[in-house]
Amino acid sequence: MRKPITWAAGMLALSLLATSCGGAGEVADSEGVDLDVSVGVTDDTVTIGTHQPLTGPASAGYLAISQGASAMFDYINDQGGIHGRKIEYLVKDDVYDPTKTVEVTQELVEGEQIFAMLGGLGTPTHSKVIQYLNDKGVPDLFPSSGALMWNDPEQYPLTYGYQVDYTKEAKVLAKYIEENFPDAKVAYYYQNDDVGSDSIAGLDQYLADKVVADEGYESTAPDAVGGQIASFKEAKADIVVCACIPAFAALGILNAVGQGYHPQWVISSIGSDIPTLRGLLKEYADDDELPVDQILDGIITSGYLPQVNMTDDPWTQFFTKIHEEYGEGELTNTRIYGMVQAVMFAKALKAAGENPTRKSLIEAVENMEWQGPGLVPFASSADDHGGHAGVLVQQYQAGEDGGTMKRLQEPMVTDREGGEISPVDYERVGPDEYDFHD
C-alpha cells in the first residue's frame, strides 16, 4: 500500500519569513510593487544574486552550477559585458537549509541591493523565499528546481521557471518505462517534498498499478537509505525510479550494490550527472578502486539541455571552450546547467535595453523567443512561466573516455495532466546566432 508523503518542517524559516515580508496573497496584487526601478544597476555594473548549497548535503551535486554560471559571466564580462556593464554575480551559501535561505536572500535583496535573483537552488529552500522576492519586486528568474509552484503567474508574477517541471519529466519517463518494461515491478524513491509529490503525479499516470514499494528520504537522514533500499529488494522491484538529488542517488546505488541488489535505475535529471555520481560513489565507499563505471552502466535518465557527451552540438562545443578558459574542475552537465542559466539571463538583460529596469527585464523575459540553448521549447510568457517543456530519454553506457550516453528516445514535450506526449517541433539556433552579449 502506498504511504503518504511526509513533509520537512522548516517552521523556523516560515516564522522568519512571516516577520520579514507582507502577508500571503499580496504578491498577486502586483500594482503595489514598483518595477520601474534600476536597483542594482550602475553605470558600470549590474548586480545579481543567488542562493546555492556551497556546503551541506546538496553541495556535492550542485556546487558546480554556480561555478558554471560564474565562468560564463566571466567570459561575457571580458567581451564587454551587457551594454557596457559587467555582471556582478553574488553567490550566497544557504547549505540547502530553508532557514539559511531566508537569511541569505534578505542579505542579497536588502544588503547587496541585487537587480534580480538568478537560479536560486532547491525546492525546500527557494519555496521559502518566493513570496518575499515577489513582494519586494525582485525578478526571480529560473529557479534551479522543477517544482510546479514556479509556474504560477497569478500568485508569483515575478518568478519564471527554468527546469522542465518534475511532473512533466516524470510523465515522459513513466511512459517510456511502461512501454519498454511492461512486466516490471516498480519502486519509487524520492525526496520528501515537492520533488517527490510532483514527480509522483507524473509517474502515477502510467505506473500506478506497477508500484510495489514507495520510499521518501529526508536530506538530513542519509543513514536511513540502507533500510529503504532493503524494502525495494524485499518487494522484488525490477526498476527503481529515483527523483533524488545526486547525493541520495549515489547513496541508493551504493547501498543496493552492497546488498547484492541490481535493479534497473531510472534517475531524473536532477540527480543523474554521471561525473558527479562517479565522484560521490568513490567518496561514500572510501574506495578509489571502486568500479564505478561498471556500477553506473545502464542507468536510464532524462535531459533537456546540451550535454558533455554531445560533442557535435554547437552549444556543447561553445561551453567546452568557455570552461577550458574560465572554468574549474571537470566539465559536467551540472556546470553546463549553470552556463545555460547565465547565457539566458544575459540575453534577457541585453533585450531589457541600455538603461534596464526590473520592469524592462521582466518584459524582455516574457517576450523572448529563446530558441536554445535547451533541446526543447522554453516558456516564459505572461501566462506560462513553465520553463523547459520536456525531456529526452537516454542511457549511460560505460566505456573508454568516460563512456557514452545512448539516446533511447528523442526529446518529447507534454503537459502535467493527461495530455499527449509529443515529439519536439523546435528550431534551435547556435551560440553564433544567439544575441546574448555585446
Side-chain angles (χ1 to χ4, degrees):
M1 182 176 179
R2 296 284 298 285
K3 294 186 296 185
I5 295 176
T6 57
W7 302 93
M11 294 307 296
L12 180 57
L14 287 170
S15 175
L16 285 172
L17 189 58
T19 64
S20 64
C21 61
E26 292 182 5
V27 175
D29 182 13
S30 58
E31 294 180 1
V33 178
D34 184 9
L35 298 179
D36 198 18
V37 295
S38 299
V39 176
V41 179
T42 71
D43 290 342
D44 304 314
T45 61
V46 176
T47 301
I48 63 174
T50 188
H51 62 85
Q52 299 287 321
L54 305 183
T55 59
S59 62
Y62 298 140
L63 172 62
I65 291 177
S66 57
Q67 292 174 340
S70 293
M72 182 55 63
F73 285 134
D74 285 346
Y75 163 77
I76 291 170
N77 289 340
D78 280 355
Q79 304 305 304
I82 306 296
H83 297 303
R85 297 183 182 90
K86 294 185 183 299
I87 298 172
E88 291 192 352
Y89 175 58
L90 305 181
V91 183
K92 296 284 189 179
D93 184 12
D94 69 0
V95 202
Y96 205 60
D97 177 345
T99 302
K100 187 68 172 176
T101 306
V102 173
E103 177 185 326
V104 301
T105 298
Q106 290 174 335
E107 290 174 4
L108 288 167
V109 172
E110 298 175 31
E112 302 290 354
Q113 296 282 297
I114 59 171
F115 183 57
M117 175 73 79
L118 176 66
L121 188 140
T123 301
T125 47
H126 197 71
S127 62
K128 300 304 184 289
V129 297
I130 183 174
Q131 182 87 52
Y132 170 76
L133 291 168
N134 278 263
D135 279 344
K136 290 293 186 180
V138 180
D140 180 21
L141 304 186
F142 315 149
S144 298
S145 158
L148 306 185
M149 68 185 302
W150 318 142
N151 187 12
D152 189 347
E154 183 176 349
Q155 181 68 16
Y156 306 120
L158 304 185
T159 299
Y160 296 79
Y162 173 71
Q163 290 182 200
V164 58
D165 76 49
Y166 296 130
T167 300
K168 292 176 182 176
E169 180 175 23
K171 181 179 172 183
V172 174
L173 283 170
K175 185 178 181 184
Y176 180 85
I177 293 168
E178 192 264 345
E179 290 179 344
N180 292 276
F181 301 90
D183 300 320
K185 297 176 181 179
V186 175
Y188 291 170
Y189 184 46
Y190 51 87
Q191 186 159 293
N192 240 344
D193 55 23
D194 284 8
V195 175
S197 59
D198 292 353
S199 297
I200 289 171
L203 295 171
D204 273 355
Q205 293 184 40
Y206 291 92
L207 301 178
D209 60 349
K210 297 179 180 293
V211 178
V212 296
D214 181 327
E215 295 282 354
Y217 70 82
E218 303 290 347
S219 62
T220 55
D223 292 342
V225 174
Q228 293 171 326
I229 298 301
S231 73
F232 299 160
K233 181 180 180 182
E234 184 179 355
K236 299 181 179 180
D238 306 301
I239 294 176
V240 177
V241 183
C242 179
C244 314
I245 64 175
F248 279 80
L251 285 170
I253 292 167
L254 198 59
N255 273 278
V257 170
Q259 296 177 32
Y261 175 46
H262 304 286
Q264 171 66 63
W265 285 88
V266 179
I267 306 177
S268 64
S269 61
I270 65 169
S272 60
D273 184 53
I274 295 298
T276 299
L277 290 177
R278 282 197 199 101
L280 290 172
L281 288 173
K282 290 181 179 180
E283 177 185 344
Y284 296 158
D286 193 20
D287 182 1
D288 287 338
E289 302 302 319
L290 189 73
V292 290
D293 272 13
Q294 180 180 338
I295 292 171
L296 296 173
D297 187 40
I299 284 176
I300 293 173
T301 185
S302 48
Y304 52 93
L305 298 177
Q307 299 180 7
V308 174
N309 67 291
M310 297 177 182
T311 54
D312 293 333
D313 186 274
W315 280 104
T316 297
Q317 293 170 355
F318 173 68
F319 292 137
T320 299
K321 291 178 181 178
I322 299 303
H323 179 75
E324 288 173 351
E325 184 171 356
Y326 296 93
E328 55 185 296
E330 179 182 5
L331 180 61
T332 63
N333 292 331
T334 313
R335 286 187 170 85
I336 288 178
Y337 179 108
M339 288 180 169
V340 173
Q341 282 182 332
V343 163
M344 293 177 67
F345 174 80
K347 183 176 177 67
L349 181 61
K350 185 172 184 181
E354 293 186 5
N355 297 297
T357 63
R358 286 172 169 169
K359 181 179 180 180
S360 71
L361 178 66
I362 291 299
E363 290 174 344
V365 169
E366 291 190 350
N367 290 286
M368 190 70 65
E369 293 185 9
W370 293 104
Q371 295 182 277
L375 306 174
V376 297
F378 188 91
S380 62
S381 67
D383 299 323
D384 185 355
H385 295 190
H388 289 96
V391 292
L392 56 78
V393 180
Q394 57 194 353
Q395 184 174 44
Y396 177 65
Q397 297 183 332
E400 297 181 0
D401 300 323
T404 60
M405 298 297 292
K406 178 182 178 182
R407 188 171 295 194
L408 302 178
Q409 181 175 279
E410 294 300 312
M412 297 282 179
V413 294
T414 190
D415 61 10
R416 302 173 183 172
E417 307 301 333
E420 292 185 2
I421 298 174
S422 307
V424 166
D425 181 13
Y426 175 57
E427 182 178 350
R428 291 171 76 215
V429 301
D432 291 341
E433 304 169 80
Y434 202 80
D435 189 20
F436 70 95
H437 62 76
D438 290 350

